Amino acid sequence: MKKLYFLILSALMLSGVYLYAATAEAGFETVRNTNIFQYKDDVGSDFVASFSDNVDPERTKVLVMKYAMAQKGYAGWGMFLKGKDLSNIGNVSFFVKGMKGSEIFYLSLKDKDDKEKKIVINTYANVTRVWQMVKIPMTDFADIDLKHITSFGFSLDSAAGQGELYINEIQFNTVTNSEEAVILDQDVAQPTLRSNRVIIDGFERPSPNDFYSVRTGDYSTLELKATRMLHDGDYAMEMDYLFQTQNPWGSWVSAHWEAYTTPVDWTGLEYFKIWIKGDGSNNVFNYNIFDAEGELWTFQDAEVLKNTNWTQITMPLTQFKLSTQSKPGNKVIDLAKIRGFEISILSLDREKTSGIIFVDQLYAVGKSMSAIWATPPSVVEKLRITFPTVGNVDFSGLIYTEFLNTPERNEQLTHYGKLIASAKVDEFSARMEIGSESQEFGQSVYSTYNPNTITTVSSVTYIGYDSRLNVSAQPPKANVPLIQVMGNNFSREFSNFTIGNIFFEYTKYTFASPILGNWGYKGATAEGDIDNLNYHAFYIKHTYDGNSIGSRLTYYGSDWKMVGYALNDCTSGLMENTAVPSNTSMVNNSEWQIKPVSNDTVYNLEFWKWFLEKKVQIQAIAGMEKYSDYATTYSTTTLPLIQPLYNVALPNPLYEFDRLMVGRIETNNLFWKGLRLAYENRYIGTLYKPTYRWEPAYFDDVYSDQKAYDFSVTQKYKGFQTSVEFEDVTRLTNSSYYRNRTNWGIGYYGFDGLDVAFNSQVKYQKYNYDSPRSMFSTYGDDFKREQINEIFVRTQFSRKIAAWFSVKSIETEWLAPRADAGDRFMGNSLFVKLEYNYNSNTKFSGEYMTTKYGIDYWEPKTWPYDDNYLKFCFSLSF
């Protein structure tokens, strides 16, 4: 049986379809009972039917059907007639025209026994770009019971392709000579179509920002993208997150949808289902719904993001709990008046982490749910730019403007745009992004001077002109951040391959995305499942004959999993042979040779085990890295560092080897509700520094060169959250070097949209180290005590306006005197941010940050200039 996917009309106007006597007119915002419906498949088709007065100045209330049909797809629009007797009707007529011409569609009638007769319109007329009348004899519908017609409508299938149809003046004509229009009763029955399964969101849109707005806690960020890494249909939604917080208990990010006018009706709901592709992290997935009273109900899954393959989870309504962030209400989910929902990711600690997850096919299951009123409208914003499609190519984009004032650069204005084109053909898809940053005249025009150019003297004198001066103009620089080809769902064993710019995360210990920008890597990936084994393999091409190759294998047991990682990275350099021997002499030779420079190999193995209904979790990691360096390199202005020139071979090649061992045990809600305990012991060798470790300089300071243990306690209770963490680190390079850190904090989250927290960190450190493979370096013998206190406030003033406020004090005391800097200094900072979401496509924000240092020359003067600045931003996505 076909699965119908019914969308809400933005305006249901019965008078727009001329059934003459049935002239009742109603708008979506005020009327629930309607005899008009529309539907579509859940395999990726796009379909929206609405009424417009702007198609033709001589016609009003024209039915407009916009569609882009997927393979094996279907969609349609229709009207319920509640068993109307049409046996005395001679024909049905209407006016039609198409956007392109030659459109293919059907007209159908259905009787009380659900027997349907469907007739292709092209049998009677060839649709053109001008209005024409189509008249179909009722005798062509003789196969059904015309005395009891329950509905009629127009439908499309995959043969329709993509386009727009315009229909006007639908009439059922009697068999009299005058062909009077039949008079239908004004109380035409208006039943509500019911279904046991309703698509809430298939994520079938080229820009998720048309539907969702982003909400974040603390300093965390979230970027939503349409992706072809999907489970079903044409698109899924990619959620790229970065957790940044000083709060010991972690942070959160959400994709938020809200019905700003009429709530949706989920009466009869029993449970939700959604497909999720996790990133193997220890983060928590939340699905939140909130009703008209503002009560927030939460379903939480702490395990699904630990998976790396597509997993469908079931979210029973009985397992939704009233959130401590909820506004006061009747403590009952009002399913008839649901205001919105959120797809959220939660971190569990203060560790700075990033990741990518994918979600697809969110739907509700219940008894006799309203297929129309249970489905959120596909477009809910007042301002939405509908960008045209060409063939099967969808377009979306981003316009970003930023004004930045910093002491280092003074005032600067950045104006950037990005156009995204995405297409799909069967199982194959492609995506390309083209970006450009605008320039002023002075930035784009340049002059060159050639003194050897002969100046021709003529009878005409050009005052001030010198032909040796050449002025040229260049257009704004364009770049292509992403070009990607993808194949999906060939089989379970080969579910995806991607060629082009690739983005993925393994772990901070093995492989992470690049620090700067959106460029990703150039290469290919492949993924699939063999029984309980999920594999992900990649190949990355570097300059010259350098490359990286690796794989992640994940095996899932009933209450355990094992993950193996293997990566190899090799680099090479370019060397010019300036002279080679020839018999007894040396001759010049301009040939270039490519020689190996370095090689890096990493193997890691993770084991996860759960006990007591997953209230207890054990994690163990063992790994090793082998690094070899064969030569030195250098760069020139024409060949930068990322394209190294081979310098000289090392007389004694460098061979380094080191290992990693981490053990962790964690309990959640084991002893009492809301209590989380975690203990971690780790040994990370001084030379364990994989090429693709997460933020190399940060990694080399925080994780490398240590044996350490870490213990944390977090308690949540009715909106309050408090946490204490202690870390003890002994450096492997010198046992007298150490880091002892204590973090504690207390906060209240969700007090009428207000989040308040105080956190404190005290750190004692003695360290002297310069990393040979990153920019991390301590300042001499770094023997100090550091204390940081912060008060953080975030408030959601309304659905459109949010504000952040942070005051931080930093006290640094050297435990060994320093002649150049003194023994102690105080610093403090103030951060304020205001964000206004005009709608999910359009965002305004302003930020102010000021930091005072105890010693002036300690203030950083380089990018990203994030210690003292004033910034205003405007972004528009479409």
Side-chain angles (χ1 to χ4, degrees):
M1 178 183 291
K2 291 185 176 180
K3 301 174 182 178
L4 302 184
Y5 176 34
F6 291 83
L7 301 177
I8 300 172
L9 289 177
S10 60
L12 300 178
M13 300 182 178
L14 186 56
S15 60
V17 184
Y18 286 148
L19 293 176
Y20 280 78
T23 57
E25 184 172 307
F28 161 68
E29 304 300 343
T30 58
V31 177
R32 283 190 177 275
N33 291 325
T34 175
N35 65 337
I36 298 176
F37 62 89
Q38 59 176 301
Y39 60 91
K40 81 174 187 70
D41 58 71
D42 57 0
V43 298
S45 298
D46 288 328
F47 179 82
V48 175
S50 60
F51 294 96
S52 174
D53 293 333
N54 301 320
V55 175
D56 190 319
E58 297 182 359
R59 293 179 181 271
T60 60
K61 309 285 190 299
V62 174
L63 173 63
V64 180
M65 295 191 293
K66 298 181 181 181
Y67 55 89
M69 305 305 297
Q71 186 179 19
K72 299 181 182 179
Y74 56 87
W77 174 96
M79 176 176 287
F80 295 112
L81 297 181
K82 195 190 175 182
K84 194 65 187 175
D85 184 358
L86 298 183
S87 59
N88 293 324
I89 299 300
N91 59 67
V92 57
S93 66
F94 56 89
F95 283 84
V96 63
K97 74 172 183 176
M99 182 179 70
K100 298 179 294 187
S102 299
E103 284 82 358
I104 301 173
F105 69 108
Y106 303 86
L107 185 144
S108 62
L109 293 177
K110 183 181 291 188
D111 63 21
K112 64 178 182 178
D113 297 323
D114 278 346
K115 190 174 181 181
E116 184 178 26
K117 177 68 174 182
K118 184 182 293 186
I119 293 177
V120 61
I121 300 301
N122 305 74
T123 304
Y124 302 89
N126 181 29
V127 180
T128 66
R129 297 173 63 184
V130 297
W131 289 108
Q132 60 177 307
M133 176 184 280
V134 178
K135 188 178 294 186
I136 302 174
M138 293 301 290
T139 54
D140 289 356
F141 294 94
D143 297 338
I144 61 175
D145 184 1
L146 293 177
K147 289 187 176 182
H148 302 93
I149 298 299
T150 57
S151 69
F152 84 94
F154 301 99
S155 62
L156 306 107
D157 58 21
S158 57
Q162 182 173 340
E164 292 185 19
L165 273 168
Y166 313 100
I167 296 173
N168 199 215
E169 295 190 29
I170 302 173
Q171 300 184 51
F172 290 89
N173 305 301
T174 62
V175 195
T176 62
N177 292 332
S178 59
E179 279 200 345
E180 297 175 353
V182 66
I183 305 299
L184 298 180
D185 296 337
Q186 293 193 22
D187 60 346
V188 172
Q190 301 173 358
T192 302
L193 190 65
R194 297 288 172 178
S195 175
N196 294 334
R197 181 180 182 271
V198 176
I199 292 287
I200 303 300
D201 192 2
F203 303 97
E204 300 296 338
R205 57 184 68 86
S207 175
N209 296 300
D210 289 341
F211 193 77
Y212 293 98
S213 59
V214 169
R215 292 189 177 179
T216 62
D218 309 292
Y219 307 103
S220 302
T221 61
L222 173 66
E223 185 178 0
L224 304 178
K225 300 178 181 178
T227 177
R228 302 294 189 174
M229 180 73 72
L230 52 89
H231 181 266
D232 197 5
D234 277 344
Y235 288 103
M237 184 168 74
E238 177 181 324
M239 303 177 69
D240 297 6
Y241 63 86
L242 171 65
F243 286 128
Q244 295 186 96
T245 181
Q246 294 298 320
N247 296 322
W249 50 81
S251 186
W252 58 273
V253 294
S254 291
H256 176 92
W257 177 84
E258 186 171 349
Y260 297 139
T261 51
T262 303
V264 293
D265 184 352
W266 287 344
T267 301
L269 172 70
E270 293 180 345
Y271 56 86
F272 298 97
K273 285 197 172 186
I274 189 172
W275 286 93
I276 303 173
K277 181 177 171 60
D279 53 5
S281 69
N282 203 33
N283 296 318
V284 175
F285 174 83
N286 266 22
Y287 182 70
N288 306 323
I289 60 176
F290 49 98
D291 57 25
E293 289 189 337
E295 288 185 319
L296 180 65
W297 298 82
T298 298
F299 173 88
Q300 191 169 94
D301 190 313
E303 308 303 325
V304 66
L305 298 186
K306 295 180 175 65
N307 296 333
T308 54
N309 54 0
W310 282 105
T311 304
Q312 187 180 52
I313 63 170
T314 301
M315 301 176 284
L317 190 63
T318 55
Q319 295 184 19
F320 279 76
K321 306 300 182 184
L322 184 62
S323 172
T324 55
Q325 303 179 32
S326 176
K327 294 182 178 179
N330 59 8
K331 297 185 179 180
V332 176
I333 306 178
D334 188 353
L335 293 176
K337 297 180 180 179
I338 297 297
R339 279 288 179 185
F341 63 88
E342 291 180 333
I343 300 170
S344 296
I345 310 169
L346 281 69
S347 66
L348 297 176
D349 52 46
R350 62 180 293 275
E351 184 171 308
K352 183 179 179 182
T353 57
S354 64
I356 302 172
I357 74 165
F358 305 87
V359 294
D360 202 2
Q361 300 300 318
L362 168 64
Y363 61 89
V365 179
K367 294 180 180 178
S368 298
M369 300 179 65
S370 170
I372 296 177
W373 294 102
T375 307
S378 58
V379 178
V380 297
E381 308 294 351
K382 294 181 180 179
L383 174 62
R384 184 188 187 281
I385 299 176
T386 304
F387 207 86
T389 59
V390 178
N392 62 344
V393 182
D394 298 322
F395 291 93
S396 61
L398 171 71
I399 303 293
Y400 177 80
T401 301
E402 176 185 283
F403 170 83
L404 180 66
N405 186 303
T406 65
E408 296 88 351
R409 302 290 298 271
N410 293 325
E411 296 180 359
Q412 60 182 23
L413 183 67
T414 301
H415 189 58
Y416 179 81
K418 181 167 65 174
L419 179 64
I420 304 167
S422 183
K424 187 172 186 291
V425 180
D426 298 327
E427 291 84 5
F428 299 93
S429 62
R431 179 183 174 96
M432 183 172 69
E433 299 181 5
I434 302 174
S436 179
E437 183 177 331
S438 65
Q439 295 174 301
E440 296 179 357
F441 178 78
Q443 296 172 320
S444 60
V445 175
Y446 62 96
S447 61
T448 56
Y449 185 78
N450 185 356
N452 297 321
T453 301
I454 300 176
T455 303
T456 302
V457 179
S458 65
S459 58
V460 181
T461 302
Y462 297 95
I463 300 176
Y465 173 75
D466 189 341
S467 64
R468 291 170 293 182
L469 182 66
N470 182 40
V471 179
S472 303
Q474 61 182 3
K477 295 179 180 179
N479 56 62
V480 184
L482 182 142
I483 302 176
Q484 194 176 75
V485 176
M486 185 180 292
N488 274 298
N489 302 326
F490 296 100
S491 66
R492 187 175 185 272
E493 293 75 20
F494 187 44
S495 58
N496 175 270
F497 78 85
T498 304
I499 300 173
N501 298 91
I502 53 178
F503 304 81
F504 57 94
E505 297 268 356
Y506 280 175
T507 71
K508 62 190 174 189
Y509 299 120
T510 54
F511 192 99
S513 292
I515 303 173
L516 303 176
N518 304 322
W519 296 82
Y521 303 101
K522 183 172 65 176
T525 66
E527 186 172 3
D529 295 275
I530 303 173
D531 295 328
N532 290 344
L533 177 69
N534 171 262
Y535 72 87
H536 182 279
F538 72 87
Y539 172 81
I540 298 173
K541 182 68 182 73
H542 299 313
T543 307
Y544 312 130
D545 60 358
N547 63 79
S548 297
I549 188 169
S551 180
R552 176 188 63 201
L553 300 176
T554 307
Y555 187 87
Y556 298 96
S558 58
D559 55 1
W560 60 276
K561 76 172 183 178
M562 185 173 290
V563 189
Y565 305 90
L567 297 88
N568 180 259
D569 173 76
C570 63
T571 61
S572 58
L574 193 64
M575 182 182 73
E576 182 179 17
N577 293 327
T578 56
V580 296
S582 175
N583 296 327
T584 59
S585 62
M586 302 289 290
V587 297
N588 291 330
N589 188 337
S590 59
E591 291 184 0
W592 295 81
Q593 289 188 2
I594 296 173
K595 291 195 171 185
V597 171
S598 65
N599 190 81
D600 184 39
T601 303
V602 182
Y603 298 102
N604 273 18
L605 183 66
E606 291 186 15
F607 178 77
W608 303 60
K609 174 70 175 178
W610 294 273
F611 303 92
L612 302 176
E613 297 179 342
K614 298 194 174 180
K615 291 181 179 179
V616 178
Q617 172 183 289
I618 293 178
Q619 180 185 6
I621 308 174
M624 56 79 64
E625 182 207 10
K626 181 181 179 181
Y627 178 77
S628 304
D629 206 352
Y630 310 115
T632 62
T633 60
Y634 68 99
S635 62
T636 67
T637 55
T638 56
L639 289 173
L641 188 61
I642 57 174
Q643 296 178 317
L645 291 175
Y646 190 95
N647 189 14
V648 295
L650 293 175
N652 297 305
L654 178 66
Y655 297 101
E656 296 178 342
F657 173 86
D658 224 322
R659 64 190 190 277
L660 157 81
M661 291 183 290
V662 178
R664 180 182 178 87
I665 183 169
E666 178 181 314
T667 69
N668 286 281
N669 303 306
L670 177 64
F671 300 103
W672 57 80
K673 185 178 179 180
L675 177 65
R676 175 175 173 266
L677 304 174
Y679 175 81
E680 181 175 287
N681 199 299
R682 58 182 179 268
Y683 176 99
I684 304 177
T686 305
L687 301 177
Y688 184 89
K689 294 175 170 57
T691 301
Y692 293 104
R693 63 198 183 279
W694 193 70
E695 292 193 1
Y698 179 82
F699 183 97
D700 292 352
D701 178 24
V702 177
Y703 296 107
S704 185
D705 185 28
Q706 62 181 258
K707 57 180 179 179
Y709 68 87
D710 186 297
F711 178 73
S712 65
V713 181
T714 302
Q715 177 67 58
K716 298 181 180 181
Y717 179 73
K718 292 185 177 180
F720 285 98
Q721 303 192 60
T722 183
S723 182
V724 178
E725 179 185 6
F726 177 75
E727 178 191 55
D728 183 276
V729 174
T730 300
R731 299 296 182 176
L732 300 176
T733 50
N734 188 328
S735 60
S736 66
Y737 292 158
Y738 63 89
R739 180 177 73 227
N740 295 330
R741 175 178 58 84
T742 302
N743 283 76
W744 70 273
I746 184 170
Y748 190 90
Y749 274 46
F751 179 71
D752 197 21
L754 180 67
D755 300 340
V756 182
F758 172 80
N759 53 75
S760 178
Q761 173 182 284
V762 179
K763 180 173 69 176
Y764 290 84
Q765 175 170 297
K766 184 177 182 180
Y767 199 27
N768 186 7
Y769 183 70
D770 295 321
S771 174
R773 296 175 60 193
S774 77
M775 299 177 63
F776 170 69
S777 176
T778 59
Y779 188 83
D781 196 8
D782 209 0
F783 185 23
K784 65 184 180 182
R785 170 187 174 274
E786 184 178 73
Q787 181 166 350
I788 303 174
N789 297 319
E790 181 188 36
I791 297 175
F792 175 84
V793 178
R794 180 192 181 275
T795 181
Q796 192 76 37
F797 288 112
S798 67
R799 61 181 175 84
K800 292 187 175 183
I801 303 174
W804 288 256
F805 175 83
S806 169
V807 177
K808 184 185 297 184
S809 68
I810 304 174
E811 178 184 349
T812 303
E813 178 184 5
W814 273 271
L815 304 179
R818 298 177 58 150
D820 62 334
D823 295 340
R824 177 185 297 185
F825 83 86
M826 296 289 295
N828 53 73
S829 67
L830 169 68
F831 172 78
V832 179
K833 178 181 178 181
L834 184 67
E835 184 176 274
Y836 174 69
N837 292 277
Y838 180 75
N839 52 45
S840 57
N841 298 79
T842 312
K843 180 186 296 184
F844 301 86
S845 66
E847 295 181 30
Y848 175 71
M849 178 80 174
T850 179
T851 305
K852 293 184 178 180
Y853 295 86
I855 303 169
D856 290 341
Y857 69 79
W858 277 39
E859 179 180 355
K861 303 292 184 181
T862 59
W863 184 88
Y865 315 115
D866 56 358
D867 55 332
N868 288 283
Y869 66 89
L870 174 66
K871 180 164 63 176
F872 296 101
C873 303
F874 168 76
S875 64
L876 174 66
S877 60
F878 53 87

